[in-house]
């Protein structure tokens, strides 16, 4: 496959970063040593979008970024410097907003619109539900909040287009009933919507790219940019949201046969990409998981577990917490999806000789199957593969535990494994789309903020109860890696940046130091008003971004605490915040960091030093393990950040470009290792890889070897007689080049 990068540099467009700004950065990025720019979505998005995943028109480049002319200039300038462009594309959804021109046409013409087939709308359920109203429809109608003018239905500053054949009438209720849409109170989005959404984000509507005409329409601009030679690779957002990922990727490969495609896919455990997918790899969350596991001290985790349980009183295991989180999310955030699945299951089960299910038994079976699904999804279309057959059998057996009668569950499991009717295929297709949304919302965004023993393992693509890894498992993983696999440590979606994660990995190396920090924090006056589980969390969050100045980090940590407590969904929710609990946590965080600034505890110093050494080890492994590194904007010189929006704060690229060649700086070693990757590209592409871990944990080595040439990265984590050290050495033809030696204390 052509166009495999040496290294990519992820740039988040918007928030002051447009095509002109990226063009100005090209000299810096070229000197850094990357081969490709990796751009977040550039298509027309909702007004004021901060991320670009809320696309309103996939056939236009956003004028807010510089439009097509601006992109043309960037692409030409990048080509002159030998830099390629990888583009982030979003086939799964567009914005469910009145700024979406295709959606406006559907609102006017209903199912007669040429775009009606483009959106994943359940027309059998009636008019398209628009949960846009601030109050119930009847109240707003009686209050006179609605008016009609110029072919539009108005309320506040919102204007919804009327059907083109709408009668002229003063009866607003009758006029509303005669539309292709139905306005309802926003609270009805919980269980009353009639469109497929992205996870539980009602403002994003699913696209039916499984329809070839829809695929062609939504990808026309993408095809043009690639065929014009302006884009050299694609990153597919949320591949598991699609009805048929394999067919989608096959169509993409047929249209752009020489273009590498990476997929955003979370692999769980030993799961591998389906072999029939024409893709060069994932975006690399599983690689980030492995690096953190390799650098985690398993013995330290055991001590942390004892400290955490003693401090918080938590006795559950993670899988118990995850199961409860799944049930909570199905009862609330994904209630609409479960209701839709129940309706589809009822249609699929009609005429079955196995069972005659009612709505409650279907709801029970659907719930049990969703909760028991351990991965994002299966990939059944007309029939299940042997692997999916095996997985579905295991899911059914797990789901049946505790049920008084499993007949309906077995009926649905059989339909999923062998969908012989259109109704059965519709059910299994939607089930597979919902199971991924459930796992993401329940694990990453709920249980990951409840069961918080060790936050480096509470990460996208990671498992909180699997924080470490054996050498045998790691070597099996490395043996399966390809040169085209992406290796990330930070993204716009990670819960903590790579360097913040290493700060926290340090607590597995020095658990007693962390426990000392926690005990000091628990003695603060503000701790009396905060649950111990949140005290434990806040100490980790503060450590992850601490820069020595309380003023700099207090607001960032406070903002993160608010998000964490609402995502945990224990007492505080986005729709109903527990402000007293949130304020208690914010006060605790502020006092904690003021204490750190005043005293600079030895335990804090030790954890920061160890975290710095671990960050350098992570950098070397990321750069030199099989695959290629993806550098998240600003991470080349160190990035301490929590989940978004903290990880999207502006980057001072001018300061980075002006920075001298400081051998103690991460930027220096990023450049050195990227140069090593470039100079030894042939060796690295074909070299075997293995890790070695000494029995006493005194050293971790990553070894790349090919014929008589060897490259070794070694991390000595320190101890009574060994200082923290980071060593990377390359042996080529008998000569040794020392890449790095670092003593951090």
């Amino acid at each position: 496959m052509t166009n495999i990068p040496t290294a990519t540099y992820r740039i988040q467009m918007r928030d002051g970063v447009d095509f002109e700004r990226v063009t100005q950065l090209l000299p810096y990025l070229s000197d850094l040593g990357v081969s490709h720019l990796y751009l977040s979505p550039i298509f027309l998005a909702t007004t004021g979008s901060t991320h670009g995943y809320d696309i309103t028109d996939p056939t236009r480049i956003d004028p807010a970024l510089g439009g097509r002319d601006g992109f043309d200039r960037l692409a030409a300038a990048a080509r002159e410097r030998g830099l390629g462009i990888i583009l982030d594309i979003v086939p799964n959804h567009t914005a469910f907003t009145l700024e979406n021109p295709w959606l406006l046409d559907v609102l006017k013409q209903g199912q007669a619109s040429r775009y009606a087939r483009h959106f994943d709308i359940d027309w059998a359920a009636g008019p398209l539900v628009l949960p846009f109203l601030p109050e119930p429809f009847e109240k707003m109608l009686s209050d006179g909040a609605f008016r009609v003018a110029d072919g539009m239905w108005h309320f506040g500053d919102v204007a919804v287009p009327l059907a083109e054949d709408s009668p002229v009438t003063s009866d607003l209720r009758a006029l509303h009933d005669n539309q292709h849409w139905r306005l309802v109170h926003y609270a009805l989005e919980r269980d009353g919507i009639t469109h497929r959404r992205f996870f539980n984000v009602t403002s994003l509507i699913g696209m039916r790219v499984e329809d070839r005409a829809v695929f062609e329409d939504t990808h026309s601009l993408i095809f043009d940019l690639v065929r014009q030679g302006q884009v050299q690779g694609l990153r597919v957002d949320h591949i598991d949201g699609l009805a048929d990922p394999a067919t989608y990727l096959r169509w993409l490969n047929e249209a752009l046969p020489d273009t590498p495609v990476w997929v955003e896919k979370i692999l769980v455990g030993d799961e591998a990409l389906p072999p029939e997918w024409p893709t060069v790899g994932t975006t690399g969350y599983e690689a980030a998981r492995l690096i953190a596991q390799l650098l985690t001290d398993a013995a330290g985790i055991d001590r942390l577990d004892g400290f955490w349980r003693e401090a918080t009183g938590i006795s559950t295991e993670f899988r118990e917490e995850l199961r409860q989180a799944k049930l909570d999310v199905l009862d609330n955030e994904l209630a609409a999806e479960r209701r839709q699945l129940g309706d589809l299951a009822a249609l699929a089960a009609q005429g079955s000789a196995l069972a005659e299910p009612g709505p409650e038994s279907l709801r029970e079976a659907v719930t049990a199957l969703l909760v028991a699904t351990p991965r994002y999804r299966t990939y059944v279309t007309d029939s299940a593969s042997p692997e999916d057959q095996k997985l579905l059998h295991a899911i059914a057996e797990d789901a049946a535990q505790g049920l008084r009668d499993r007949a309906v569950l077995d009926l649905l499991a059989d339909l999923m494994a062998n969908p012989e009717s259109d109704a059965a295929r519709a059910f299994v297709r939607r089930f597979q789309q919902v199971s991924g949304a459930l796992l993401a919302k329940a694990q990453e965004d709920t249980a990951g903020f409840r069961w918080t023993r060790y936050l480096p393992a509470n990460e996208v693509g990671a498992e909180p109860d699997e924080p470490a890894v054996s050498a045998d498992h790691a070597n099996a993983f490395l043996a399966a890696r390809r040169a085209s696999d992406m290796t990330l440590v930070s993204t716009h979606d990670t819960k903590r940046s790579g360097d913040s994660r290493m700060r926290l990995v340090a607590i597995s190396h020095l658990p007693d130091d962390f426990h000392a920090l926690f005990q000091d924090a628990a003695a603060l006056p503000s701790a009396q008003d905060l649950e111990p589980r949140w005290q434990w969390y806040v100490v980790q969050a503060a450590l992850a971004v601490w820069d020595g100045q309380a003023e700099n980090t207090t607001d960032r940590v406070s903002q993160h605490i608010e998000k964490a407590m609402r995502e945990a969904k224990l007492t505080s929710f986005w729709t109903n915040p527990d402000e007293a609990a949130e304020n208690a946590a914010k006060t605790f965080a502020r006092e904690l960091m003021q204490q750190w600034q005043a005293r600079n505890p030895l335990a804090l110093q030790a954890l920061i030093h160890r975290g710095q050494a671990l960050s350098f080890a992570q950098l070397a492994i990321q750069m030199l393990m099989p695959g290629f590194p993806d550098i998240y904007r600003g991470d080349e010189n160190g990035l301490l950040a929590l989940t978004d929006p903290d990880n999207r704060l502006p980057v001072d690229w001018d300061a980075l470009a002006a920075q001298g060649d400081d051998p103690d700086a991460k930027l220096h070693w990023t450049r050195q290792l990227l140069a090593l990757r470039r100079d030894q590209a042939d060796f690295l592409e074909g070299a075997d890889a293995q890790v070695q871990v000494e029995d006493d944990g005194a050293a971790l080595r990553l070894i790349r070897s090919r014929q008589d040439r060897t490259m070794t990265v070694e991390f000595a984590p320190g101890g009574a007689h060994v200082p923290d050290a980071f060593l990377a050495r390359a042996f080529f033809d008998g000569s040794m080049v020392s890449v790095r030696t670092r003593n951090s204390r």
Side-chain angles (χ1 to χ4, degrees):
M1 174 66 71
T2 58
N3 295 323
I4 298 302
T6 299
T8 54
Y9 190 92
R10 173 74 179 194
I11 297 178
Q12 294 299 114
M13 307 301 297
R14 305 176 192 276
D15 286 341
V17 180
D18 56 14
F19 299 137
E20 182 179 359
R21 180 61 178 132
V22 178
T23 302
Q24 295 168 355
L25 294 176
L26 294 180
Y28 166 74
L29 296 175
S30 179
D31 290 344
L32 184 64
V34 301
S35 62
H36 288 68
L37 310 180
Y38 175 13
L39 305 182
S40 64
I42 64 172
F43 308 100
L44 182 63
T46 56
T47 302
S49 174
T50 60
H51 49 76
Y53 292 92
D54 47 354
I55 294 168
T56 56
D57 189 344
T59 67
R60 294 178 59 194
I61 294 179
D62 203 327
L65 300 177
R68 180 63 187 261
D69 289 344
F71 183 78
D72 289 348
R73 289 190 292 271
L74 169 61
R79 188 184 306 113
E80 289 178 3
R81 290 189 171 271
L83 295 171
I85 294 177
I86 295 172
L87 200 58
D88 195 344
I89 64 173
V90 190
N92 179 68
H93 55 266
T94 59
F96 190 59
T97 169
L98 298 175
E99 293 184 38
N100 188 325
W102 295 357
L103 185 61
L104 287 179
D105 195 74
V106 172
L107 298 180
K108 292 177 184 178
Q109 301 190 55
Q111 295 183 68
S113 167
R114 76 172 295 262
Y115 297 111
R117 67 193 296 181
H118 288 55
F119 298 103
D120 208 339
I121 297 169
D122 182 9
W123 290 107
L128 175 61
V129 170
L130 304 179
F132 296 168
L133 298 181
E135 296 179 292
F137 178 87
E138 290 297 332
K139 182 178 189 304
M140 295 185 69
L141 182 65
S142 64
D143 288 348
F146 300 130
R147 64 185 179 87
V148 174
D150 302 322
M152 308 291 282
W153 180 287
H154 296 266
F155 61 96
D157 58 357
V158 178
V160 185
L162 295 168
E164 293 181 343
D165 57 352
S166 292
V168 178
T169 177
S170 60
D171 186 343
L172 291 183
R173 180 182 284 106
L175 180 63
H176 179 263
D177 291 344
N178 207 31
Q179 299 306 307
H180 304 296
W181 42 263
R182 180 164 59 94
L183 284 166
V184 300
H185 186 219
Y186 70 84
L188 199 62
E189 72 175 1
R190 175 181 172 184
D191 59 2
I193 57 172
T194 55
H195 70 276
R196 178 174 66 86
R197 53 187 175 173
F198 170 71
F199 290 178
N200 65 325
V201 184
T202 305
S203 60
L204 297 174
I205 183 170
M207 305 301 289
R208 297 185 59 256
V209 292
E210 64 271 21
D211 182 314
R212 188 59 185 256
V214 178
F215 172 83
E216 296 290 342
D217 283 351
T218 54
H219 288 68
S220 59
L221 176 57
I222 296 166
F223 294 160
D224 181 59
L225 295 175
V226 174
R227 289 165 180 165
Q228 293 293 325
Q230 296 175 299
V231 170
Q232 286 70 44
L234 300 173
R235 179 259 196 193
V236 179
D237 182 68
H238 188 42
I239 190 71
D240 278 340
L242 305 185
D244 185 356
T247 297
Y248 170 82
L249 290 170
R250 176 168 55 82
W251 288 349
L252 198 59
N253 181 256
E254 291 169 355
L256 306 170
D258 297 321
T259 304
V261 173
W262 291 269
V263 294
E264 184 196 31
K265 162 65 183 165
I266 306 301
L267 297 170
V268 177
D270 294 327
E271 180 186 8
L273 281 177
E276 69 273 17
W277 285 12
T279 174
V280 297
T282 72
T283 54
Y285 284 107
E286 67 281 357
R289 174 183 67 203
L290 179 78
I291 295 172
Q293 288 175 321
L294 280 171
L295 294 172
T296 291
D297 187 321
I301 293 295
D302 290 340
R303 285 189 62 75
L304 278 174
D305 185 81
F307 293 146
W308 172 65
R309 292 184 186 278
E310 180 183 15
T312 64
I314 294 174
S315 60
T316 58
E317 298 302 327
F318 176 69
R319 298 297 145 178
E320 300 172 66
E321 200 71 70
L322 177 58
R323 176 182 171 79
Q324 185 58 52
K326 285 185 172 184
L327 292 170
D328 291 348
V329 169
L330 285 172
D331 283 345
N332 295 280
E333 287 77 13
L334 296 181
E337 283 70 20
R338 180 170 60 181
R339 180 187 60 77
Q340 292 165 353
L341 275 174
D343 294 342
L344 290 170
L347 293 173
Q350 285 182 356
S352 172
L354 297 177
E356 191 172 359
E360 186 55 32
S361 61
L362 286 170
R363 179 182 180 276
E364 179 185 60
V366 165
T367 299
L369 288 167
L370 284 170
V371 170
T373 302
R375 299 179 180 178
Y376 267 57
R377 59 172 290 173
T378 53
Y379 297 98
V380 179
T381 51
D382 294 327
S383 62
S385 67
E387 181 180 356
D388 277 342
Q389 289 272 6
K390 181 179 178 181
L391 179 58
L392 285 168
H393 176 74
I395 290 171
E397 291 304 307
D398 186 22
Q401 302 303 310
L403 293 185
R404 297 186 180 185
D405 187 337
R406 61 179 292 170
V408 177
L409 184 146
D410 287 336
L411 164 62
L412 296 186
D414 183 63
L415 288 173
M416 292 173 64
N418 302 282
E420 296 178 352
S421 66
D422 288 343
R425 284 187 285 272
F427 168 69
V428 69
R429 179 170 61 246
R430 183 54 57 87
F431 184 96
Q432 292 174 141
Q433 291 173 304
V434 173
S435 64
L438 175 61
L439 185 56
K441 294 303 299 179
Q443 178 156 329
E444 297 170 16
D445 294 339
T446 305
F449 290 101
R450 293 178 178 179
W451 203 87
T452 56
R453 172 185 68 180
Y454 178 67
L455 291 182
N458 293 29
E459 189 54 83
V460 180
E463 301 293 340
D465 54 350
E466 298 175 8
V469 66
S470 69
D472 287 345
H473 186 98
N475 285 324
F477 177 92
L478 293 174
R481 293 275 288 177
R482 299 171 290 182
S484 59
D485 284 319
M486 191 176 284
T487 305
L488 63 80
V489 296
S490 301
T491 76
H492 60 293
D493 281 332
T494 48
K495 302 304 182 186
R496 283 149 286 275
S497 64
D499 289 327
S500 285
R501 198 176 309 124
M502 290 302 108
R503 275 272 186 95
L504 297 179
V505 168
I507 74 176
S508 74
H509 292 244
L510 305 170
D512 293 313
D513 285 317
F514 181 76
H515 190 223
L517 273 191
F518 173 78
Q519 288 181 312
D520 285 349
L524 290 169
S526 57
Q528 307 308 310
D529 300 321
L530 185 64
E531 284 187 81
R533 70 160 65 228
W534 287 114
Q535 294 175 28
W536 188 273
Y537 185 93
V538 170
V539 175
Q540 288 185 83
L543 174 62
V545 293
W546 176 245
D547 66 356
Q549 299 295 321
E551 183 178 353
N552 295 344
T553 50
T554 296
D555 288 344
R556 292 170 59 198
V557 173
S558 293
Q559 187 177 28
H560 175 76
I561 286 169
E562 183 177 286
K563 180 170 185 174
M565 297 185 82
R566 295 179 188 183
E567 294 286 14
K569 307 172 188 69
L570 292 171
T571 64
S572 195
F573 311 90
W574 290 108
T575 53
N576 185 21
D578 183 343
E579 295 183 359
E582 292 175 2
N583 289 334
K586 293 174 185 179
T587 299
F588 174 74
R590 182 174 62 252
E591 285 194 12
L592 172 66
M593 287 182 281
Q594 289 172 345
Q595 180 194 66
W596 286 356
Q597 182 170 325
R599 293 176 47 199
N600 193 19
L602 289 176
L604 178 63
Q605 296 177 44
L607 289 165
I608 289 174
H609 289 154
R610 182 60 55 85
Q612 187 176 29
L614 286 160
S615 288
F616 276 102
Q618 176 179 246
L619 173 66
I621 296 172
Q622 180 194 17
M623 291 287 176
L624 300 178
M625 71 183 286
F628 66 89
D630 170 44
I631 301 170
Y632 184 64
R633 28 76 94 205
D635 193 33
E636 64 269 30
N637 196 40
L639 177 65
L640 298 174
L642 301 167
T643 190
D644 68 305
D646 193 61
N647 61 17
R648 303 187 196 191
L649 294 175
V651 176
D652 190 346
W653 279 294
D654 293 334
L656 289 175
Q659 182 171 310
D661 191 24
D662 178 1
D664 286 331
K666 185 180 178 183
L667 181 60
H668 169 83
W669 291 105
T670 301
R671 288 194 180 113
Q672 295 297 310
L673 289 166
L674 286 173
L676 182 64
R677 282 191 55 80
R678 181 190 61 235
D679 296 342
Q680 303 298 332
D682 291 341
F683 167 79
L684 289 170
E685 182 173 351
D688 293 331
Q690 65 168 314
V691 295
Q692 295 177 350
V693 181
E694 293 190 6
D695 291 340
D696 60 357
L700 165 71
R701 299 181 187 87
L702 169 67
I703 302 171
R704 303 295 305 274
S705 59
R706 184 179 181 185
Q707 297 175 344
D708 59 346
R709 306 171 74 195
T710 303
M711 175 185 293
T712 302
V713 179
E714 181 177 82
F715 174 65
H721 305 293
V722 183
D724 288 343
F726 165 71
L727 308 169
R729 294 175 177 172
F731 295 89
F732 295 121
D733 300 325
S735 62
M736 185 189 78
V737 179
S738 178
V739 178
R740 178 65 175 164
T741 300
R742 178 176 182 81
N743 293 322
S744 59
R745 62 172 177 174

